[in-house]
Amino acid sequence: MPAEPIDPTGVTWTRVDDRYITVKFITGIIGWVITLAAVATPIVLDALGVIGNIPGWIEILVVGVLLLWAAADLALVPRRIRSIGYHEREDDLLIRRGILFQRVVAVPYGRLQYVDIEAGPLMRRFGLCTVQLKTAAAATDAVIPGASRQEGARLREELSVRGQARLAGL
């Protein structure tokens, strides 16, 4: 992952699993199909004569804009996923994400309350999980989506041990 101006110096980011791209494509396509079906319903009802007369240019414009938006959204999925990364430092965990609006969060190990792993049916099918870090301050809660299940389990154990060690030193 190339370094960005927002990145701390000397950090090598660990990227999430590339299988997460497929998961996001599937969920994105399902979401856009539902959106397009909802928008198409009045158009179909108009064509059947059930509701009032919607001008044809409005129908074409709305469907065209939604199709372009869907195409752009789905085309950016790989780039969005490849922008997610994390790095374990001695005292904290850095998590980065974002293409246009980039964000880097530092989660101090001593502030970790617990590390949660979740995986829905689609994520389980692809052998992935989401690692959620919960802290006392809601502003520093962080998420690593799309980690492999093995990496998620390793992170949970490692971060829990580091959190307990830092908490004991307070």
Side-chain angles (χ1 to χ4, degrees):
M1 170 181 313
E4 296 285 345
I6 194 172
D7 293 341
T9 56
V11 170
T12 303
W13 297 104
T14 303
R15 289 183 19 202
V16 296
D17 198 299
D18 281 339
R19 292 176 289 179
Y20 190 52
I21 295 171
T22 306
V23 170
K24 291 305 280 183
F25 268 131
I26 292 170
T27 57
I29 289 169
I30 290 170
W32 280 110
V33 165
I34 291 169
T35 301
L36 290 170
V39 168
T41 301
I43 295 171
V44 170
L45 292 175
D46 180 44
L48 294 174
V50 176
I51 62 172
N53 200 13
I54 300 173
W57 68 272
I58 290 178
E59 294 174 352
I60 293 170
L61 180 68
V62 168
V63 171
V65 167
L66 278 178
L67 287 174
L68 284 173
W69 189 359
D73 183 49
L74 293 173
L76 287 174
V77 165
R79 179 67 183 99
R80 276 191 212 117
I81 300 308
R82 289 188 180 110
S83 74
I84 302 170
Y86 59 95
H87 178 76
E88 298 172 69
R89 296 196 300 188
E90 186 176 328
D91 295 322
D92 56 12
L93 176 72
L94 297 175
I95 301 173
R96 110 185 259 283
R97 66 177 349 141
I99 301 172
L100 186 59
F101 297 98
Q102 298 175 343
R103 180 178 183 192
V104 175
V105 176
V107 181
Y109 297 131
R111 301 285 183 188
L112 282 177
Q113 290 184 330
Y114 65 93
V115 180
D116 188 21
I117 294 182
E118 62 180 43
L122 191 58
M123 294 280 273
R124 282 195 314 268
R125 168 70 178 90
F126 284 90
L128 301 173
C129 66
T130 298
V131 180
Q132 293 184 336
L133 309 168
K134 299 293 183 181
T135 64
T140 56
D141 286 358
V143 175
I144 303 172
S148 69
R149 300 208 45 197
Q150 295 80 14
E151 180 66 3
R154 185 197 71 77
L155 280 171
R156 180 187 59 218
E157 295 305 317
E158 181 68 23
L159 297 176
S160 295
V161 167
R162 288 183 182 188
Q164 286 297 322
R166 296 298 188 281
L167 189 59
L170 291 179

